[in-house]
Amino acid sequence: AALPAGDTRRLPVKSVIIVLIDNVDLAVLRALAYARSLRPDQLRVVHFVVDTTRAEQLSRTWDEHHALSLPLEMIECPDRRLPRAALELAEHVLSADEGTQVTILLPRRQYGALLGRLLHDRTADQIAASVSQVRGVTATIIPFDATRTSRVLRRRGNGADVGTGVAVAPGGGGH
């Protein structure tokens, strides 16, 4: 959409999408598919490292799935303050290139009511609230119904994602 005559705001020149991940599962694969459909100028996949053992395991799993065809960036977050780390990442991307619009995608696994209350810690909400305060940054939570997918996979008898053919775990931790 064009700006009205005399409006001094500039439209973003470059679109950067950052998908924050903590696992390789169907929720992440769907978020990546959505990110690609937006046709960004740059697509980045980032994991904030709060546990080096888990990060190393995630890195190995990521590398095993050649269908993902994107590098996985590991960013140290020793204080475990993920909303702050996401905010700093967004601000860094914005400062590197004027006219950039940053979109942060946060895959969220959704479970049944009781299990959902036990498993979900609302980190995605906190990250979205933090980064959305910055001009030029948008955060979008990408919901994924893990209970429905688990039932479909059990009926099919395998763990391969229909859209990608990549074998993944149907659940996992959530942002």
Side-chain angles (χ1 to χ4, degrees):
L3 293 174
D7 193 329
T8 58
R9 293 178 295 170
R10 292 184 162 186
L11 290 175
V13 175
K14 180 179 178 183
S15 168
V16 177
I17 295 181
I18 301 169
V19 181
L20 298 182
I21 72 164
D22 65 346
N23 204 347
V24 179
D25 61 13
L26 293 173
V28 167
L29 293 176
R30 297 284 165 85
L32 288 170
Y34 175 69
R36 285 183 171 115
S37 77
L38 297 174
R39 303 180 60 126
D41 296 304
Q42 183 180 26
L43 175 56
R44 296 173 61 178
V45 182
V46 173
H47 173 72
F48 292 121
V49 179
V50 296
D51 176 339
T52 55
T53 303
R54 181 177 164 103
E56 289 168 0
Q57 181 182 14
L58 174 63
S59 183
R60 282 191 302 273
T61 302
W62 185 265
D63 291 343
E64 290 169 4
H65 295 294
H66 302 291
L68 299 172
S69 71
L70 290 166
L72 174 59
E73 299 175 46
M74 298 286 189
I75 298 177
E76 294 292 327
C77 186
D79 64 4
R80 298 176 174 263
R81 293 173 45 203
L82 299 177
R84 181 203 48 80
L87 178 63
E88 289 176 359
L89 174 60
E91 288 175 338
H92 177 74
V93 172
L94 286 174
S95 69
D97 199 356
E98 188 178 329
T100 298
Q101 170 67 42
V102 176
T103 302
I104 296 182
L105 298 182
L106 301 148
R108 173 186 282 166
R109 293 146 207 93
Q110 295 179 331
Y111 303 91
L114 177 60
L115 189 57
R117 283 194 299 273
L118 295 173
L119 294 178
H120 191 61
D121 66 2
R122 305 315 246 188
T123 305
D125 296 323
Q126 295 167 357
I127 291 172
S130 176
V131 300
S132 293
Q133 297 176 26
V134 178
R135 184 183 187 128
V137 180
T138 304
T140 303
I141 295 173
I142 308 297
F144 181 79
D145 183 353
T147 57
R148 180 180 168 277
T149 303
S150 294
R151 288 189 304 268
V152 169
L153 290 175
R154 279 195 302 270
R155 280 197 304 266
R156 287 194 188 118
N158 67 34
D161 178 38
V162 176
T164 65
V166 175
V168 294
H175 269 162

